[in-house]
Amino acid sequence: MIDRAPLELERFLPYRLSILTNTVSQAIAREYERRFDLSVTEWRVMAVLARYDGEGLSAREVAERTAMDKVAVSRAVARLVAAGRVTRRTHHGDKRRSVLRLTAKGWKVHDAVAPLARAQEREVLARLDAEERAWLARILDKLLMA
């Protein structure tokens, strides 16, 4: 007989974090998918490009900053470029590197979706008191430093 020890998923941290992330993300994703034909991956790419606008990131750098799959990021970037929401230009100092930036059309979508994301975050965090929110921020910072 094989001795098995199945994971108790309801207590397994990666599973619980995944469920939480999916639940929170899907709450606003339905809205921006409907309004802007934008996937979760595309939104995350746009959010990172907006956050680091002054730097001009490559698709590889976006994947690194989001811990998303490079192929998924590449597909999302291709769709965003085709939709006119992102430009892809050759880096002036390194012809092998592409630099991505939001277009005016991309910023318009970003500026409509970002408040939805912030509102969803506030709604989730409202379940915690101020001390719990501070602890959560410290714990997440500590875990993400690993």
Side-chain angles (χ1 to χ4, degrees), residues 20-32 40 116 120 123-124 127:
L20 178 62
T21 299
N22 291 340
T23 301
V24 173
S25 292
Q26 289 306 314
I28 61 165
R30 285 186 289 278
E31 181 66 16
Y32 60 69
V40 172
L116 299 173
Q120 182 62 27
E123 187 178 316
V124 170
R127 299 173 193 158

Side-chain angles (χ1 to χ4, degrees), residues 3-46:
D3 186 24
R4 293 192 174 106
L7 286 174
E8 291 183 49
L9 289 178
E10 63 278 2
R11 297 182 187 277
F12 187 56
L13 180 64
Y15 178 79
R16 295 175 76 196
L17 290 173
S18 177
I19 295 295
L20 178 62
T21 299
N22 291 340
T23 301
V24 173
S25 292
Q26 289 306 314
I28 61 165
R30 285 186 289 278
E31 181 66 16
Y32 60 69
E33 284 172 341
R34 181 185 64 76
R35 286 177 56 189
F36 302 107
D37 188 30
L38 192 67
S39 73
V40 172
T41 305
E42 289 164 355
W43 163 244
R44 289 179 182 165
V45 168
M46 290 181 70

Side-chain angles (χ1 to χ4, degrees), residues 86-98:
V86 169
T87 60
R88 182 190 333 239
R89 302 238 189 317
T90 303
H91 187 274
H92 65 278
D94 182 355
K95 301 293 185 206
R96 299 168 296 165
R97 182 173 179 246
S98 291

Side-chain angles (χ1 to χ4, degrees), residues 24 118-130 132-134 136-137 140:
V24 173
R118 288 186 195 100
Q120 182 62 27
E121 178 189 43
R122 280 191 304 275
E123 187 178 316
V124 170
L125 292 177
R127 299 173 193 158
L128 306 175
D129 63 36
E132 290 169 328
R133 287 191 299 273
L136 176 62
L140 290 173

Side-chain angles (χ1 to χ4, degrees), residues 38 41-57 62 76-77 79-81 83-89 99-114:
L38 192 67
T41 305
E42 289 164 355
W43 163 244
R44 289 179 182 165
V45 168
M46 290 181 70
V48 170
L49 292 178
R51 170 65 179 90
Y52 298 100
D53 182 52
E55 297 178 35
L57 301 177
V62 169
V77 166
R79 264 186 51 106
L80 291 166
V81 168
R85 294 173 175 166
V86 169
T87 60
R88 182 190 333 239
R89 302 238 189 317
V99 175
L100 306 170
R101 293 206 191 286
L102 291 180
T103 63
K105 187 175 179 180
W107 276 108
K108 187 175 179 181
V109 171
H110 171 275
D111 293 345
V113 175

